[in-house]
Amino acid sequence: MSISRRRFLSITCRSIASIGAFGAFSRFGALNAFAQAPDYKALVCVFLFGGNDGNNTVIPFDDPGYQNYANLRGRNNGVAGVALDQSVLLPIQPASASIPFALHPRLTKIQPLFNSKKVAIIANVGNLVVPTNRTQYISRTVQLPASLFSHSDQQNQMQTAGVDSKLPSGWAGRVADAVQSMNAGAQYPAVVSLAGAPIFCNGDHTSPASVSPGNLSGVNCAEFCTTRSNAAQQLLTFDTGISLVQAASQVTTNANKFTKVLSDAVSGSPALLTQFPNTGIANQLKQVAQIIQARIALALHRQIFFVSLGGFDTHGAQLTTQDALLAQLSPALKAFYDSTVEMGVDSQVTTFLESDFARTFQSNTNGGTDHAWGNHYFVIGGAVKGGDMYGKFPTIVLGSNDDAGSNGRWIPTTSLDQYGATLAAWFGVSSSAMGTVFPTLANFSTQNIGFI
């Protein structure tokens, strides 16, 4: 079986990292983990795999807007549609919007954060090469992202900011490359995935770490674990004479070292008091919080994290499926924000959502929706200019100028590059480096959309 060197090393590193600590390690003494790292900032990407339906996440709430929504998302060929009842929606009033909007009823923890100006909504974001309208899309007179509406391709492009699936690095990795000097002397990689080894985390020069949630607390097995660890380290020093094996052994050695450094740092930090729900996404975010808590010991001034929640490919039974997923997401995001407040870094940590794409506004005949394009995302944090909506919310008319077809595949009016570049500028990426991080950013006249 053919396997690339990058993939081989990624699998090796991920496997070792997922083992967790080899045993109990000494603590970091009287480390005050609540001390502020000077100029510390972190970005946390929450990727919703499958394509979250933004149309049922943020909904027009004025009477004409809601009735139009309900009519268009109602029954389709005799099959119940996906419209949510107006009485269960959570009203919000974006500061610059002329009409009220509402959130999905399961976003009960997001509504008060929005009202307290800690959450911004970025409307109709998606992959674009250049600004594109309906006429240009239909006539193909502008370059379009490759393989639109394909899960794998659009996941890749949302993570790489590429116009196709050929970029070998992710935009978070390239952001880390651009601020590498800020982490001089760091004891641990600046980019960490809690959800496998996504391309989002790979830089041209940055190598990410992969951590399995819950594996950093240490295991008190005393001499047995120490003996096992020493034996494993000795095996890795053998000279096999095979360059690829030697390289992989070095990666594994580094992974062991980073695992111990991280385990020691986390174990030496005060326990967080914030209570997290016991769900997969919450456990990932809890681990992120624990790593941020150890930022002083790790000597990191800039960190980027990747977590994920899957299951949003709702071609059928969308109402119950999305309801259950957002019921996990909302309290997890709130708990994570609360943990940043507890640590005193709420204005230094920004959480943002991404997904493959949105869903069609018109439902299909299975009580679900199909693959679409522009989507609505939340950005959360103390530095966010929240309580408002940024970008242009689409005109909810099938076949309108905002529709790529006739069933509500909204053509994005804010590009992924503009979305990411706004976050990257806050993070410290210079304007001269933006074109390397986001290859098509120069095609858009507004490069910072101002939500942070």
Side-chain angles (χ1 to χ4, degrees), residues 175-428:
V175 164
D177 290 344
V179 300
Q180 193 168 25
S181 62
M182 297 183 186
N183 281 327
Q187 303 299 305
Y188 194 75
V191 186
V192 180
S193 171
L194 283 294
I199 194 170
F200 178 77
C201 298
N202 294 332
D204 295 323
H205 308 289
T206 295
S207 296
S210 181
V211 174
S212 293
N215 279 1
L216 296 179
S217 57
V219 181
N220 187 17
C221 57
E223 292 184 9
F224 174 75
C225 286
T226 301
T227 301
R228 182 174 62 181
S229 176
N230 290 339
Q233 289 299 118
Q234 284 184 333
L235 286 172
L236 292 171
T237 64
F238 291 164
D239 185 359
T240 64
I242 302 174
S243 59
L244 186 58
V245 173
Q246 292 298 108
S249 294
Q250 185 59 52
V251 169
T252 304
T253 299
N254 290 339
N256 290 341
K257 178 184 72 174
F258 288 143
T259 298
K260 185 179 188 306
V261 166
L262 183 57
S263 180
D264 281 356
V266 169
S267 297
S269 301
L272 288 168
L273 301 178
T274 302
Q275 296 297 307
F276 283 77
N278 186 23
T279 61
I281 185 62
N283 288 331
Q284 291 175 60
L285 287 168
K286 180 180 180 180
Q287 191 77 85
V288 170
Q290 291 171 334
I291 296 172
I292 291 174
Q293 176 84 314
R295 63 197 179 280
I296 304 294
L298 299 173
L300 283 162
H301 299 277
R302 292 292 186 275
Q303 289 185 280
I304 304 176
F305 298 91
F306 182 89
V307 303
S308 73
L309 177 63
F312 288 92
D313 191 19
T314 49
H315 288 280
Q318 175 173 300
L319 290 176
T320 55
T321 302
Q322 189 187 34
D323 189 84
L325 290 170
L326 295 184
Q328 295 178 52
L329 181 66
S330 176
L333 291 173
K334 176 60 162 60
F336 179 70
Y337 174 76
D338 288 347
S339 75
T340 67
V341 173
E342 178 186 342
M343 292 184 282
V345 295
D346 48 299
S347 64
Q348 297 166 278
V349 178
T350 299
T351 304
F352 63 98
L353 302 189
E354 282 196 4
S355 193
D356 316 17
F357 36 57
R359 317 294 302 182
T360 53
F361 196 85
Q362 186 178 48
S363 63
N364 59 32
T365 56
N366 297 313
T369 51
D370 300 319
H371 302 175
W373 197 354
N375 209 346
H376 313 314
Y377 296 122
F378 299 136
V379 182
I380 307 168
V384 173
K385 299 175 184 177
D388 208 351
M389 180 182 291
Y390 295 79
K392 178 183 178 294
F393 199 84
T395 301
I396 308 301
V397 175
L398 303 184
S400 69
N401 288 335
D402 287 331
D403 194 349
S406 59
N407 59 354
R409 285 189 167 97
W410 310 130
I411 300 170
T413 44
T414 295
S415 75
L416 170 67
D417 282 30
Q418 293 170 292
Y419 181 54
T422 305
L423 293 163
W426 171 81
F427 196 65

Side-chain angles (χ1 to χ4, degrees), residues 135-153:
T135 300
Q136 292 167 328
Y137 171 80
I138 292 173
S139 63
R140 299 299 197 265
T141 54
V142 297
Q143 184 180 358
L144 299 171
S147 304
L148 282 171
F149 321 129
S150 156
H151 281 297
S152 59
D153 291 282

Side-chain angles (χ1 to χ4, degrees), residues 90-142:
L90 306 175
I92 57 171
Q93 179 59 66
S96 62
S98 60
I99 64 168
F101 286 83
L103 302 178
H104 188 283
R106 287 296 188 175
L107 297 176
T108 55
K109 303 296 185 180
I110 301 300
Q111 183 194 34
L113 283 178
F114 182 90
N115 291 337
S116 62
K117 297 180 170 52
K118 305 303 180 185
V119 175
I121 297 169
I122 320 303
N124 203 14
V125 179
N127 293 318
L128 287 172
V129 182
V130 296
T132 302
N133 60 38
R134 176 180 172 87
T135 300
Q136 292 167 328
Y137 171 80
I138 292 173
S139 63
R140 299 299 197 265
T141 54
V142 297

